[in-house]
Amino acid sequence: MSGGKSIRIVDSTLRDGSHAVSHQFDAEQIAAVAGGLDAAGVEYIEVAHGDGLGGASCNFGWSKLTDDEMLRAAAPVIRKGKLTVLLLPGIGTKKDLEMAAGLGVKAVRVAIHVTEADIGQQHIGLAKKMGMEAFGFLMMSHMVPPEKVVEQARLFESYGADVVYVADSAGAMLPDDVKARVGAVVEAVNIPVGFHAHNNMTLAVANSLAAAQVGAGFLDGTCRGLGAGAGNAQTEVLAGVLDKLGYRTGIDFFGIMDVAEGIVEPMMHRPQVINNAALMLGYAGVYSSFLLHTYRSAEKFGLDPRKILVELGKRRMVGGQEDMIIDVAYRMLQAKG
Amino acid sequence: MERVSVAIIGPGNIGTDLMYKVLRSPRLRMDVMAGIEESEGIRRARDLGIRTTLGDLRPILEDGSIRLVFDATGAKYHLRHAPLLRAAGKIVIDLTPAAVGPYVVPSVNLGELCGEPNLNMVTCGGQATVPIVHAIHRVAVARYAEMVSAISSKSAGPGTRQNIDEFTRTTARAICKVGGARKGKAIIVLNPADPPIIMTNTVYVDVEIPDEAAIRDSVERMVREVQAYVPGYRLRVPPMVDGTRVTTIIEVEGAGDFLPKYSGNLDIITAASVAVAEKLADKLLVKGVTQ
């Protein structure tokens, strides 16, 4: 067994989690959560609009605060941990990354659809030049076979990434899918490998363990599982489970439970459960961030959100194509006559 | 019919597609294709009986009969070419992101820019969405406009991939400068689906006067104007007004001249460039008669 091995945790309550509150975290909430996570021993604390730097938009939803304001709220309360951001090339820019570096951000996750890593070469390069840790983050990894994930992970490594992530953005993978992809990447690269789970089929923690078993050194979580779709691996649960298995995370188990229950839970707009549409995301392999946008369109046009999601899955839409929810809904409405 | 001689610098995918469009134009004569070295594009031009030049722009600069030059290389090359072309009295249509001259979107501002010696073609996404922003702005006043372009991975060349920020920055600027919006934002998504997706563009505009009928009419008129030079430009979702937000979706199918039909993103910028050249050629020919 892997007893005594250490796993490094990235908590994304204040980034992926912001999807679940429609990006409405305020400065006080950000400071409270970031400070709590830091005190509980979380190493990487990710803060940004749910769709990363520059994500505030009509397409992805407007955040209450600007990127700058969010980072300014978190930076002063993080003492041991590393303030981390996410950036999707094509949405966020190098200018956004420079702004983040100026505010004390120590790590960036450059998140790209699993087949397109080369659009992030410049962003990884800039992060390294500015002295940041750079993670390559391969989204929607379920859509391609392990060999393709390996090819793209190697690209990130060649650009100078310090860590490469396999992300199950649609919460569509089963544990064997995770093992096949994460395991192949671990074999192929000389940098640590991470895994980012979504809980659309209630497998987020199980999949995270599967990733750890085949050599992942980084795992993602969010307090109370807050996140896009049915949310992410629940940080406090992950901390407890990993501890039981003998992995060291540096996280104080009681401390992180207190952050989740005492600080994060009161901020939640709704319980983070697997409702039918979220389950459909996982089943059909659709980007988890589409969930709330799909609900809005379904309600507006009087359509079944599951049908919209199935169609988006059939069209093989990728992260960032939230606009196609409107397109699909419009077409369904026309077909209804 | 009289024709104006043109040259193309850059025999890559874009330059080659341009060449085929120029060959079809009743207003333009495809005279010189310039490259830096022997390549498939150069061979293709030569096989069609077109003059070629390698690593040397003098055959273009020193030939007074060539009036219009397309530059389909890259920003750093265009910065070198621009002063040479200008000194030689050429009118330049710049398809690179260098933006030495003003942005031009034929259906919106070509009329005002006919005297400029160097015109920049913005980006593919700009050519697809600025007309819509402008059509909405002229009847509803655009406080903010945002576009999301989705293109097939196969149609995104190394130039786009290595400098994806350039697309978002340039397009956002053109949305304001040419489209008229007070603020602008651009997002680009690459989709690897196979068969490849055709280019789609969603335009969100926050307006002061949410008059749906006026907006629809203005957008529909604009779509017809763009269709005059980009036949595959289509309204996919007509303007929908929700409060002060107007959402419109456009798709662009390529003409399939050289590049496959799904790469409407490449077709729209070459088609728009040829539309600019034809308009300038008309002016030059009129001048030629009166001189």
Side-chain angles (χ1 to χ4, degrees), chain A residues 54 56-60 62 89-94 113 115-116 118-119 122-123 300-301 315-321 323-324 326-327 330-331, chain B residues 144 146 148 150 153 160-165 168 185-194 197 200-202 204 236-238 240 242 245 247 249:
Chain A
S57 57
C58 293
N59 203 43
F60 305 121
W62 295 99
I91 301 173
T93 62
K94 295 193 290 289
H113 186 73
T115 54
E116 314 294 320
D118 58 352
I119 66 169
Q122 283 204 325
H123 306 81
K300 200 163 113 194
F301 296 107
R315 287 197 194 179
R316 300 185 74 74
M317 293 294 108
V318 304
Q321 296 195 272
D323 55 325
M324 287 298 114
I326 302 166
D327 188 77
Y330 176 78
R331 240 138 267 274
Chain B
Y144 169 82
E146 175 182 315
V148 184
S153 300
T160 305
R161 289 171 175 276
Q162 277 152 28
N163 206 347
I164 200 135
D165 285 8
T168 53
K185 183 174 178 69
I187 294 166
I188 182 167
V189 181
L190 305 188
N191 182 313
D194 193 28
I197 61 159
T200 57
N201 303 276
T202 299
Y204 302 100
R236 205 178 149 94
V237 176
M240 295 193 298
D242 185 2
R245 181 186 293 183
T247 305
I249 305 182

Side-chain angles (χ1 to χ4, degrees), chain B residues 75-203:
Chain B
K76 65 178 175 187
Y77 302 104
H78 186 63
L79 291 173
R80 285 212 296 269
H81 300 157
L84 301 173
L85 293 163
R86 172 135 208 200
K90 311 296 181 196
I91 302 172
V92 180
I93 299 164
D94 168 24
L95 287 86
T96 79
V100 171
Y103 296 140
V104 60
V105 176
S107 60
V108 179
N109 67 344
L110 179 55
E112 305 154 24
L113 296 174
C114 277
E116 292 287 336
N118 187 316
L119 294 159
N120 180 268
M121 298 306 301
V122 198
T123 59
C124 57
Q127 290 297 338
T129 59
V130 168
I132 301 301
V133 173
H134 177 74
I136 295 171
H137 177 65
R138 67 188 174 190
V139 295
V141 186
R143 288 190 286 228
Y144 169 82
E146 175 182 315
M147 63 81 78
V148 184
S149 260
I151 63 174
S152 68
S153 300
K154 276 191 175 166
S155 68
T160 305
R161 289 171 175 276
Q162 277 152 28
N163 206 347
I164 200 135
D165 285 8
E166 212 147 57
F167 174 94
T168 53
R169 191 172 51 233
T170 305
T171 309
R173 260 191 220 145
I175 281 174
C176 298
K177 276 196 163 172
V178 186
R182 230 169 283 156
K183 279 178 73 184
K185 183 174 178 69
I187 294 166
I188 182 167
V189 181
L190 305 188
N191 182 313
D194 193 28
I197 61 159
I198 73 169
M199 183 201 205
T200 57
N201 303 276
T202 299
V203 183

Side-chain angles (χ1 to χ4, degrees), chain A residues 239-251:
Chain A
V241 170
L242 289 171
D243 179 67
K244 264 192 120 164
L245 279 169
Y247 289 99
R248 285 178 284 109
T249 62
I251 295 178

Side-chain angles (χ1 to χ4, degrees), chain A residues 298-315:
Chain A
E299 197 183 333
K300 200 163 113 194
F301 296 107
L303 298 164
D304 183 336
R306 290 174 298 185
K307 289 190 177 156
I308 299 178
L309 291 170
V310 167
E311 179 59 23
L312 289 163
K314 267 194 217 149
R315 287 197 194 179

Side-chain angles (χ1 to χ4, degrees), chain A residues 49-89:
Chain A
H49 184 285
D51 297 271
L53 296 176
S57 57
C58 293
N59 203 43
F60 305 121
W62 295 99
S63 45
K64 183 165 215 136
L65 304 180
T66 62
D67 292 326
D68 181 287
E69 289 165 339
M70 285 187 249
L71 295 172
R72 278 179 201 279
V77 301
I78 298 175
R79 298 192 177 87
K80 296 174 291 179
K82 296 168 190 159
L83 181 56
T84 304
V85 292
L86 181 109
L87 183 147
L88 276 77

Side-chain angles (χ1 to χ4, degrees), chain A residues 81-131:
Chain A
K82 296 168 190 159
L83 181 56
T84 304
V85 292
L86 181 109
L87 183 147
L88 276 77
I91 301 173
T93 62
K94 295 193 290 289
K95 208 173 142 199
D96 296 318
L97 194 55
E98 283 167 355
M99 175 277 294
L103 293 176
V105 169
K106 299 285 189 288
V108 59
R109 307 208 294 172
V110 178
I112 304 179
H113 186 73
V114 64
T115 54
E116 314 294 320
D118 58 352
I119 66 169
Q121 181 172 8
Q122 283 204 325
H123 306 81
I124 297 272
L126 175 64
K128 294 313 299 171
K129 213 173 89 191
M130 295 191 299

Side-chain angles (χ1 to χ4, degrees), chain A residues 74-311:
Chain A
V77 301
I78 298 175
R79 298 192 177 87
K80 296 174 291 179
K82 296 168 190 159
L83 181 56
T84 304
V85 292
L86 181 109
L87 183 147
L88 276 77
I91 301 173
T93 62
K94 295 193 290 289
K95 208 173 142 199
D96 296 318
L97 194 55
E98 283 167 355
M99 175 277 294
L103 293 176
V105 169
K106 299 285 189 288
V108 59
R109 307 208 294 172
V110 178
I112 304 179
H113 186 73
V114 64
T115 54
E116 314 294 320
D118 58 352
I119 66 169
Q121 181 172 8
Q122 283 204 325
H123 306 81
I124 297 272
L126 175 64
K128 294 313 299 171
K129 213 173 89 191
M130 295 191 299
M132 295 167 100
E133 272 182 64
F135 295 43
F137 192 92
L138 294 167
M139 299 192 293
M140 302 288 271
S141 288
H142 73 284
M143 287 179 87
V144 296
E147 310 80 70
K148 187 71 184 178
V149 184
V150 163
E151 170 202 293
Q152 298 287 306
R154 281 197 174 124
L155 282 180
F156 268 134
E157 185 182 29
S158 76
Y159 304 153
D162 301 291
V163 181
V164 64
Y165 256 74
V166 174
D168 182 17
S169 318
M173 287 195 214
L174 306 179
D176 284 345
D177 301 323
V178 176
K179 283 184 178 169
R181 286 165 180 75
V182 174
V185 175
V186 167
E187 289 292 310
V189 299
N190 295 310
I191 51 175
V193 178
F195 179 71
H196 173 92
H198 274 274
N199 204 37
N200 301 334
M201 298 199 290
T202 193
L203 290 169
V205 171
N207 281 347
S208 300
L209 282 187
Q213 281 164 3
V214 294
F218 280 72
L219 292 174
D220 280 15
T222 61
C223 290
R224 283 296 186 259
L226 211 61
N232 297 88
Q234 202 165 330
T235 306
E236 64 277 18
V237 176
L238 200 55
V241 170
L242 289 171
D243 179 67
K244 264 192 120 164
L245 279 169
Y247 289 99
R248 285 178 284 109
T249 62
I251 295 178
D252 169 25
F253 184 38
F254 274 51
I256 192 74
M257 284 196 287
D258 289 344
V259 174
E261 192 154 300
I263 303 176
V264 175
E265 196 172 302
M267 298 175 186
M268 291 170 67
H269 291 183
R270 59 183 72 77
Q272 187 75 63
V273 296
I274 305 170
N275 52 28
N276 288 349
L279 172 58
M280 212 59 219
L281 291 169
Y283 185 79
V286 176
Y287 197 57
S288 297
S289 315
F290 285 8
L291 183 67
L292 294 185
H293 300 280
T294 301
Y295 270 128
R296 257 172 244 133
S297 281
E299 197 183 333
K300 200 163 113 194
F301 296 107
L303 298 164
D304 183 336
R306 290 174 298 185
K307 289 190 177 156
I308 299 178
L309 291 170
V310 167
E311 179 59 23

